Amino acid sequence: MELQSSLLMSAKVRFVDARLALVHIPLDQYQTYLQSLLRLIFPTSQPIGAVEEASHQSESGLSWVNRYPFLNVSITPIECSIICPKVFAEDLFAAPRQVAVSSADTRHGATVSSEDFVVMSVEGEGLEAGKRVLELTSPLALAGISIFFFTTYFSDYILVPAKSKVQVVRALEDRGFELEAGAEAYVNPAAHHHRNKSSTSSFSPVSPSTPPPATVGELQARTFALLKRREIVPRVDANLRLLNCAGRRDYPSNFSTNEMGLQNGLTKSLLYQPRFLSLTLTESDPASLLLEKGLVSNFDVDNVLLCNRDDLLVPVMLDLTPLPLEATGIVCGVADRLAGHTKGDVFASAIDMSYLSTARTGTVVVEERALDHAMEALHIGEHDVLEH
């Protein structure tokens, strides 16, 4: 879909052709699953089961960086989370699970989502990252659709349950988007379209027990009431700083060398369970990396990574384990508090932010200099912040 609005001019939003699964690995089982993780990112030439498809692609000359329609591997201080094509998730993480789970207590092994997910890619300019998160998620949040959101170096991605795809389309159509003839895209024919009906009128097959919020402001209030009720508070690691990086593709003649250097750096970083690393791979873009700054030394930065070492970022983590996977409105509610309305007129400007969803964690990423500002906007006092 092509978004034409005063905020997101020339944005392109498309469904990626893939059925995806969500994998959660407890941190204490990271080493058990490490080999499966490396095989997923760098398929071997001796495939087993579903991995054969990726290996055949490798033999045909397709780079490991662009082998998957969508792949995200994230290690945070709370969990290891993977989003990948479902066939690979089942093939690679079933066997190690038998090793990890040596008793009836299955909480210690990896869990693979039973339902399928689909992902939308968003490309475009015209908004700061935080405003973009809010603009993209609000129609779906008001429609009661559960989402996962990823801000990467190049694009944004929204993961939704495959069963909700029709609801997603209807929610977007309710905002004025129409299917463009002969294209797998949606366009908004009016740059300043005004809806004539409720954002929840056309998509929900079952009436919810609680009416959906009518406005983003109401959704924000519900979100923070829920977080408070479930005793979910932000966590900040006082010593953890991140850098947003991408794989270099400056010169075609150096692609092979650059990607070998990227592979070596990633392997070094993954071997010893990093505190924070998020890798996103797609069919069209170079690799996107959000990683703790100390890991950058594993890479030949000048030749392998696009990275500004002065732009330090801080992850503010929400452990969402107490909430059901289908919980809605979290991303939009947090984005509205930071990048939208914040605290009325108390702050002179909104807080720029990006967002990373993982299986059981929501991570807000802000600039180091904006951390105190962000915490104030979230109504978080020092006594509420868990520091390590």
Side-chain angles (χ1 to χ4, degrees):
M1 75 197 93
E2 188 170 322
L3 195 59
Q4 298 288 340
S5 74
S6 60
L7 294 178
L8 278 178
M9 298 302 293
S10 302
K12 295 181 180 180
V13 184
R14 298 180 184 275
F15 282 99
V16 176
D17 185 17
R19 287 291 178 123
L20 305 171
L22 187 60
V23 181
H24 163 75
I25 299 175
L27 288 180
D28 62 0
Q29 292 297 322
Y30 178 84
Q31 292 298 328
T32 301
Y33 293 90
L34 177 58
Q35 289 303 314
S36 293
L37 191 60
L38 292 173
R39 288 185 63 203
L40 177 67
I41 301 172
F42 315 113
T44 66
S45 59
Q46 296 180 341
I48 298 176
V51 184
E52 183 173 1
E53 177 184 344
S55 293
H56 285 338
Q57 291 175 325
S58 178
E59 292 169 2
S60 66
L62 184 64
S63 164
W64 61 268
V65 172
N66 302 121
R67 190 164 299 137
Y68 297 105
F70 183 85
L71 171 68
N72 177 268
V73 174
S74 294
I75 301 99
T76 75
I78 295 175
E79 66 172 332
C80 174
S81 173
I82 301 163
I83 297 170
C84 66
K86 189 164 188 177
V87 62
F88 295 96
E90 293 175 341
D91 192 45
L92 285 169
F93 297 99
R97 176 176 171 80
Q98 302 306 316
V99 176
V101 183
S102 57
S103 67
D105 186 359
T106 59
R107 292 175 297 177
H108 294 300
T111 55
V112 180
S113 61
S114 58
E115 67 175 319
D116 295 351
F117 292 84
V118 294
V119 69
M120 296 180 290
S121 67
V122 184
E123 301 175 359
E125 300 177 353
L127 277 183
E128 294 179 344
K131 290 284 189 181
R132 198 165 59 245
V133 175
L134 179 59
E135 179 81 4
L136 293 170
T137 61
S138 58
L140 305 182
L142 290 174
I145 299 169
S146 174
I147 72 166
F148 295 81
F149 194 94
F150 307 85
T151 308
T152 73
Y153 194 94
F154 299 100
S155 308
D156 297 309
Y157 295 89
I158 303 174
L159 189 79
V160 298
K163 65 183 181 184
S164 299
K165 183 175 180 179
V166 172
Q167 295 172 267
V168 170
V169 171
R170 289 178 180 172
L172 293 172
E173 288 176 341
D174 194 47
R175 284 290 184 100
F177 294 93
E178 299 175 358
L179 181 62
E180 190 177 44
E184 295 180 0
Y186 287 84
V187 297
N188 189 336
H192 301 285
H193 175 80
H194 295 280
R195 291 180 296 159
N196 296 319
K197 55 183 178 178
S198 165
S199 64
T200 61
S201 61
S202 65
F203 73 92
S204 179
V206 180
S207 298
S209 57
T210 302
T215 66
V216 174
E218 181 184 347
L219 185 143
Q220 180 202 131
R222 288 192 190 184
T223 296
F224 281 86
L226 175 62
L227 296 178
K228 182 177 181 179
R229 188 165 61 249
R230 295 299 181 92
E231 299 182 338
I232 298 172
V233 297
R235 298 175 55 176
V236 175
D237 187 326
N239 300 311
L240 184 58
R241 295 296 181 268
L242 310 180
L243 292 172
N244 190 23
C245 306
R248 280 190 177 277
R249 285 190 177 174
D250 299 338
Y251 306 103
S253 60
N254 295 336
F255 281 1
S256 178
T257 301
N258 290 348
E259 290 182 358
M260 180 59 70
L262 182 62
Q263 179 171 345
N264 290 339
L266 276 171
T267 302
K268 291 177 184 177
S269 300
L270 292 168
L271 283 178
Y272 298 103
Q273 191 170 332
R275 287 186 301 163
F276 200 108
L277 186 153
S278 181
L279 168 70
T280 302
L281 302 178
T282 67
E283 288 180 325
S284 57
D285 289 328
S288 179
L289 275 168
L290 180 66
L291 74 169
E292 57 182 292
K293 68 174 184 177
L295 294 178
V296 172
S297 61
N298 290 329
F299 302 83
D300 180 356
V301 178
D302 293 336
N303 296 316
V304 173
L305 293 181
L306 292 170
C307 184
N308 188 336
R309 300 194 197 194
D310 295 327
D311 293 339
L312 295 179
L313 305 171
V314 184
V316 181
M317 292 160 284
L318 298 168
D319 186 347
L320 303 178
T321 302
L323 300 182
L325 191 64
E326 63 273 14
T328 63
I330 305 299
V331 181
C332 183
V334 171
D336 185 54
R337 177 66 63 87
L338 293 174
H341 299 100
T342 61
K343 294 171 64 178
D345 296 326
V346 174
F347 296 129
S349 61
I351 302 164
D352 198 24
M353 53 153 296
S354 58
Y355 199 93
L356 172 67
S357 296
T358 54
R360 299 183 182 179
T361 311
T363 300
V364 179
V365 182
V366 299
E367 295 178 347
E368 184 179 39
R369 62 177 177 267
L371 178 60
D372 291 341
H373 190 181
M375 287 303 191
E376 186 179 356
L378 292 169
H379 297 281
I380 300 299
E382 291 181 1
H383 61 284
D384 294 318
V385 180
L386 304 181
E387 295 191 352
H388 305 280

